[in-house]
Amino acid sequence: MTLGIATDDDTPALSSLVIGDPGLGPSQRLVSEGPWEGKSETKWLMNVCTGWQRTWRSQNGDEAQAVVWRCPGTRDAATLVWFDLFNPNFFEHPTNLRSLPGAWLTPEVRYVSGARSREVLFAQGNRAVRVSLRTPAESRLDELSERVTAVAARQTELVPGERAELNEPEYTEGMLVLLTTPALGYLVYILPWRMIRTRHVWRRYRVRRHDPAWQDVSRAALRLAVLVRIRATFRVFGFLVLFILIATRNLTIDPVVMLTIAYVGGWLLPGRSPLLKRAWQPRPVRGRWDVRGGHAWWVRACGLASLLLYAAGLALFFVFYIAQLSGLGASPLIDGGLPTARYLQVQSFGHLMAYVVLAVVGLGAGSAVIVMSGLLMLGGVLVRRLGRSYALKDAEAAQQDSSEPPVLYLRSFTDDSATMPSSAIARTSVLERASFAWRQPFEEITVRHVWALGPVIAASHPADTRKRSDIGAARMKLGTNWQAEIEAKALESRLVVVGATPEVINEGLLQELELLGRHPSIPVALFLAPLAEHELRRRWHSFIDAALTAGDSGSHGRSRFEGLRAHRNDASGALVLLNTGGTEWHTWGARRRTEFTYAMAWGEARDTLARRSRTTTSE
C-alpha cells in the first residue's frame, strides 16, 4: 500500500485547527508559530504526518504549546500519540517506529530544564494533538492540571472526527500485578506441593532432655536461620541499590546512606556474630574456574551456557510482561492479534524478535511464555550443575590444595541418591540460589558444612566408570586391597564421618566399622539422615546392632560403639553423634530436620572436636 505524503497545501487547514488563545493571562505573547519541523532523525510517521504548532509565553515564565498533526489515516494518528506515551522525549527525539518502542510511561509531571511540565495527548479522527504547559513556579504546580485540561478542551472543539480509544498503560497497578502474580502462583501451586514433598521437615522429632551429653540445637538453629536470612536480605538490598546507582549515575546522599545500611547489616554486624562463625560456614562444593585437564573447556562451556540460558529465561519473562503491562496488546500496532506490517517490517534478527514479542503479546500467549521462561532457567541450573560435576577435584588434588588434614566420609553406596530440602542461601552458585528447586543431594549438603574442618574425601563406587563425579565429597578410586587404603586414610584424617542410617548393612560397611573399632583414637562422627521417624528408627537400630557386632570382633577391650546402647531409643531427634575416645558419645539433635539444624549440629561438633584437639595437644 502506498501512503500519500501531506503537502504544504494542508498547512492553512492545519493552522485553522490550532487554538489562538491558551489562557495564560494578559501578559501572554505568541513566540512561535508555523509548521512542526522534526529533527534530522525523524522517522516514518513524523514524515508522513504534517504538523502545525503555536507556542506562547507569559512574563512570569509560563509556557504553553499546542500542536496538531494531520496523518494519512486514523491508525497513523493513534499510533503517533500512542508512541509518545512511551517516550517522554518523543517529539524532541522521535522514535524509530521500525524497532520495538520503549516501555516507560511518561510521568504526569515532568522536570525539564528546571521547569514543571504537564501535557495532554489524544488522537481524533486522522489528527494527532498535543497540548502542553510548563511553569517554573512550584506553587503553581497544582494549577497545571486544570489549565491543561481547559486548553485541551478548547483545542478538541476545533478538531473534527471521533476520539480514538487508546489504553494508557497503568504501570503502578501493572507492576504490582507483575510482582504479586508469581508470588500468588508460588503460594497456590508450588508451596503446597513442596510442603507435601518435604513433609518430614515439618514433623516434630523427640529430643532427650536433662542429659549433658545430649544437646538440643532447635532454638539455636532457629536464631541461625533468622540471622542468615536477615544478612542475605541486607546484601541483596545493597546490590540492588548499587545496580540502580550505576544505572542512573545519580550519586546523592540517599543511595550512599542505603549502601551504608546494607553494608552494616549485610557484612559488618554479621561478621561479628559468634553464632555465624561457629555454625554457618558452608564451603563451595565445586571445582575452581581455572580447572586444568581434558575437561577444562567443557566446564567453562557449561558455565557460559548456563548463564546464557538463565539470562534468556529472565529476559523472556520480563520483556513479555513489561510489553504486556505497557499496553502493547491493545495498541494501534496490533491488528487482529499480529503486528501491523506498516509499523514493523521484519528486515533483521532484531526486527524478528520484536515481531515475535508483539505477536505473543497480541495473541495473549502468556502461559506459553511462562513455561518457556521456566524451562530456560531450569536448563541453565541443570547445565551449571553438570559443569560443576566435571569441575570437582579428586581426593588427591583436594588434599594437595589444602594444608588441613582430610575428613574421611564413609557411607553405604545406596545412600548416594538421598536428598533433602536445602537452604538457597547456602548453595554454591548464584544460579542455584535463584532456582525454584528446593532439594539437593544430602551428601552435598553434609559435605559443605563439614568441609570447614578440611577437604572431605570418599571412596568411589567400584562400578562407577564415569569421567565426572556426583557433587559432594572428593572421590578416590580404590584397588583390590581397599581395606588397607581406607585404614591408612582414616589414620591420617582429622575426623571420620559415617552415615549411620544406611538402607542396607553390607559387608563393606561392617569391615569399615570393625576398622574404626580397632583404632579408638580416631575421632568418629555419626550422622542420621532426614527420614521418616519409623524408617529412621529401623535403620538406626540396624546400624547399632552392626556396630556392636563389628566392635566386638575388632577391638580387644570395650569398643567405642558400646556407648551407642544408651542412644538406641533416642534416634528420633538425633542428628550428629561425636566420639573422640572411650565409649562416650556427644549428641546434637533437634525437633526438626532442616539444613539449619544440621549446620548447627555440625558447628557444635566442630567446636567440640577443636576443644578436644587443643586439650590433647596441651597434655
Side-chain angles (χ1 to χ4, degrees), residues 125-204:
N126 66 337
R127 268 80 170 185
V129 180
R130 183 186 74 170
V131 175
S132 62
L133 285 172
R134 182 184 299 178
T135 179
E138 186 78 28
S139 60
R140 292 197 299 275
L141 188 59
D142 294 337
E143 301 177 17
L144 278 180
S145 181
E146 296 180 4
R147 279 195 191 182
V148 76
T149 302
V151 175
R154 290 198 295 271
Q155 178 63 72
T156 303
E157 297 174 356
L158 301 177
V159 180
E162 296 182 358
R163 181 73 64 92
E165 294 184 2
L166 296 177
N167 293 329
E168 183 173 333
E170 293 290 342
Y171 268 88
T172 302
E173 179 182 351
M175 291 305 292
L176 288 176
V177 172
L178 173 64
L179 295 175
T180 57
T181 299
L184 287 175
Y186 177 82
L187 292 175
V188 174
Y189 298 104
I190 299 178
L191 184 60
W193 175 246
R194 177 176 180 177
M195 293 181 69
I196 293 173
R197 291 286 307 276
T198 60
R199 56 188 179 276
H200 62 272
V201 173
W202 306 103
R203 293 171 178 165
R204 293 179 66 87

Side-chain angles (χ1 to χ4, degrees), residues 36-305:
W36 177 267
E37 296 180 357
K39 302 292 180 66
S40 60
E41 63 268 25
T42 300
K43 301 294 182 183
W44 203 72
L45 273 184
M46 296 296 290
N47 285 336
V48 300
C49 297
T50 301
W52 188 273
Q53 63 85 22
R54 288 195 180 109
T55 304
W56 299 264
R57 188 176 293 120
S58 64
Q59 290 182 352
N60 57 17
D62 293 345
E63 183 177 290
Q65 184 182 66
V67 188
V68 176
W69 288 271
R70 179 176 180 176
C71 300
T74 57
R75 184 178 291 275
D76 301 329
T79 303
L80 190 151
V81 171
W82 185 85
F83 262 87
D84 190 63
L85 294 176
F86 296 92
N87 188 352
N89 296 321
F90 177 72
F91 294 97
E92 290 78 13
H93 303 285
T95 305
N96 183 352
L97 299 183
R98 297 184 185 275
S99 63
L100 185 65
W104 300 110
L105 176 63
T106 305
E108 287 191 354
V109 178
R110 290 186 290 171
Y111 294 78
V112 181
S113 302
R116 283 71 176 169
S117 177
R118 179 78 162 87
E119 66 180 28
V120 172
L121 295 106
F122 60 91
Q124 191 157 318
N126 66 337
R127 268 80 170 185
V129 180
R130 183 186 74 170
V131 175
S132 62
L133 285 172
R134 182 184 299 178
T135 179
E138 186 78 28
S139 60
R140 292 197 299 275
L141 188 59
D142 294 337
E143 301 177 17
L144 278 180
S145 181
E146 296 180 4
R147 279 195 191 182
V148 76
T149 302
V151 175
R154 290 198 295 271
Q155 178 63 72
T156 303
E157 297 174 356
L158 301 177
V159 180
E162 296 182 358
R163 181 73 64 92
E165 294 184 2
L166 296 177
N167 293 329
E168 183 173 333
E170 293 290 342
Y171 268 88
T172 302
E173 179 182 351
M175 291 305 292
L176 288 176
V177 172
L178 173 64
L179 295 175
T180 57
T181 299
L184 287 175
Y186 177 82
L187 292 175
V188 174
Y189 298 104
I190 299 178
L191 184 60
W193 175 246
R194 177 176 180 177
M195 293 181 69
I196 293 173
R197 291 286 307 276
T198 60
R199 56 188 179 276
H200 62 272
V201 173
W202 306 103
R203 293 171 178 165
R204 293 179 66 87
Y205 294 82
R206 288 182 291 178
V207 297
R208 181 185 291 189
R209 301 181 182 277
H210 311 299
D211 185 346
W214 213 107
Q215 182 179 349
D216 181 8
V217 298
S218 300
R219 293 185 178 179
L222 180 61
R223 292 196 303 271
L224 176 66
V226 172
L227 185 58
V228 168
R229 287 163 179 161
I230 291 176
R231 182 183 69 172
T233 302
F234 273 102
R235 290 186 175 184
V236 171
F237 173 72
F239 284 123
L240 286 176
V241 172
L242 184 62
F243 173 77
I244 295 173
L245 183 61
I246 294 174
T248 60
R249 300 179 183 178
N250 183 24
L251 184 59
T252 60
I253 188 63
D254 292 339
V256 172
V257 171
M258 288 189 287
L259 283 175
T260 303
I261 294 174
Y263 172 74
V264 172
W267 283 272
L268 186 61
L269 293 181
R272 300 180 179 181
S273 169
L275 184 62
L276 283 177
K277 291 179 180 179
R278 182 172 74 256
W280 194 252
Q281 301 180 30
R283 299 300 173 92
V285 184
R286 62 175 175 183
R288 294 178 179 174
W289 181 252
D290 57 343
V291 180
R292 297 176 177 84
H295 300 298
W297 66 272
W298 176 248
V299 174
R300 297 187 179 97
C302 286
L304 179 60

Side-chain angles (χ1 to χ4, degrees), residues 318-373:
F318 282 106
V319 167
F320 170 76
Y321 272 101
I322 289 176
Q324 185 78 24
L325 295 175
S326 66
L328 276 173
S331 73
L333 294 175
I334 306 298
D335 186 12
L338 294 175
T340 307
R342 293 175 61 189
Y343 306 133
L344 185 66
Q345 298 179 4
V346 181
Q347 299 176 346
S348 66
F349 180 76
H351 291 163
L352 177 62
M353 292 296 99
Y355 187 91
V356 170
V357 170
L358 289 174
V360 170
V361 172
L363 295 173
S367 299
V369 171
I370 293 176
V371 172
M372 181 61 68
S373 176

Side-chain angles (χ1 to χ4, degrees), residues 336-608:
L338 294 175
T340 307
R342 293 175 61 189
Y343 306 133
L344 185 66
Q345 298 179 4
V346 181
Q347 299 176 346
S348 66
F349 180 76
H351 291 163
L352 177 62
M353 292 296 99
Y355 187 91
V356 170
V357 170
L358 289 174
V360 170
V361 172
L363 295 173
S367 299
V369 171
I370 293 176
V371 172
M372 181 61 68
S373 176
L375 290 176
L376 286 172
M377 289 189 284
L378 176 61
V381 173
L382 294 178
V383 171
R384 178 73 179 107
R385 289 187 65 82
L386 178 64
R388 285 178 57 198
S389 68
Y390 278 100
L392 291 171
K393 304 171 184 176
D394 58 22
E396 183 179 356
Q399 289 180 257
Q400 290 177 351
D401 288 345
S402 176
S403 59
E404 300 292 338
V407 174
L408 181 60
Y409 181 89
L410 301 178
R411 87 284 183 204
S412 172
F413 294 128
T414 58
D415 293 341
D416 288 349
S417 59
T419 62
M420 73 166 289
S422 66
S423 167
I425 303 173
R427 296 174 188 171
T428 297
S429 65
V430 175
L431 294 186
E432 292 174 75
R433 294 176 186 177
S435 73
F436 288 104
W438 57 81
R439 301 183 71 89
Q440 283 189 310
F442 181 56
E443 178 186 338
E444 180 179 353
I445 295 172
T446 301
V447 167
R448 69 178 171 223
H449 291 288
V450 177
W451 202 288
L453 286 170
V456 183
I457 60 176
S460 299
H461 194 288
D464 188 1
T465 58
R466 296 175 301 171
K467 295 182 179 179
R468 63 184 184 89
S469 60
D470 295 328
I471 300 175
R475 295 296 196 261
M476 56 182 176
K477 296 286 185 180
L478 299 179
T480 55
N481 190 20
W482 64 268
Q483 297 90 341
E485 295 181 55
I486 290 291
E487 185 173 11
K489 289 294 183 183
L491 290 172
E492 68 182 41
S493 297
R494 170 175 290 181
L495 177 69
V496 176
V497 176
V498 183
T501 50
E503 185 177 0
V504 178
I505 304 292
N506 54 29
E507 184 63 27
L509 181 58
L510 285 173
Q511 294 184 43
E512 290 169 346
L513 293 176
E514 183 180 340
L515 179 154
L516 296 176
R518 291 198 305 268
H519 300 283
S521 61
I522 300 176
V524 175
L526 308 178
F527 65 91
L528 284 72
L531 301 170
E533 186 172 354
H534 66 280
E535 181 66 13
L536 184 67
R537 285 183 176 276
R538 183 190 70 79
R539 295 191 184 189
W540 174 241
H541 292 167
S542 298
F543 177 85
I544 291 179
D545 293 339
L548 291 174
T549 301
D552 291 340
S553 60
S555 62
H556 300 291
R558 292 192 65 194
S559 168
R560 69 167 77 215
F561 297 119
E562 286 292 331
L564 293 179
R565 295 182 187 274
H567 298 274
R568 186 180 185 88
N569 295 322
D570 65 0
S572 175
L575 300 173
V576 177
L577 295 87
L578 177 66
N579 174 266
T580 56
T583 61
E584 183 181 4
W585 291 84
H586 298 274
T587 306
W588 295 271
R591 289 185 291 272
R592 289 191 172 90
R593 292 177 125 74
T594 67
E595 181 166 356
F596 291 103
T597 56
Y598 275 103
M600 195 71 224
W602 281 117
E604 294 289 350
R606 288 196 304 266
D607 216 28
T608 301

